Amino acid sequence: MSHIVTVQDAVTAFADFMEPTDAELDAIEREMPVILADVDLLDAYIVILDRTPTELDDRRIRRARRRALAARVALVNRAACTSLPGGAA
């Protein structure tokens, strides 16, 4: 009979190189408003999964969509402003 076992080293082994770098953490921090806005939008959709949306639900979804879009636009604008050489606009 063959026993099924887990490979502990592969499951629990974490080396220093597996940690996120400072640049990756900074990128996550910059994208956090977009992430949070997307979570709000998903929450709005989850609420209406098992029922017919009311007018209030429709407003909540529209508001969450606008926030998510605004967060994405702000992120793109910040990225565009910082990537231009010589500070030209």
Side-chain angles (χ1 to χ4, degrees), residues 13-75:
F14 288 102
D16 291 337
F17 66 87
M18 294 181 73
E19 293 293 320
T21 63
D22 289 338
E24 290 170 333
L25 291 173
D26 289 341
I28 292 170
E29 188 66 31
R30 280 191 306 272
E31 294 176 9
M32 191 54 68
V34 174
I35 294 168
L36 294 175
D38 285 345
V39 168
D40 287 342
L41 181 57
L42 285 172
D43 285 343
Y45 281 127
I46 289 170
V47 167
I48 64 165
L49 279 178
D50 60 346
R51 64 183 174 137
T52 304
T54 63
E55 180 62 32
L56 186 63
D57 293 329
D58 289 337
R59 280 191 245 158
R60 183 176 183 212
I61 290 172
R62 281 195 307 269
R63 201 174 312 123
R65 276 191 199 144
R66 283 194 302 266
R67 267 190 247 121
L69 181 60
R72 288 178 188 277
V73 167
L75 179 66

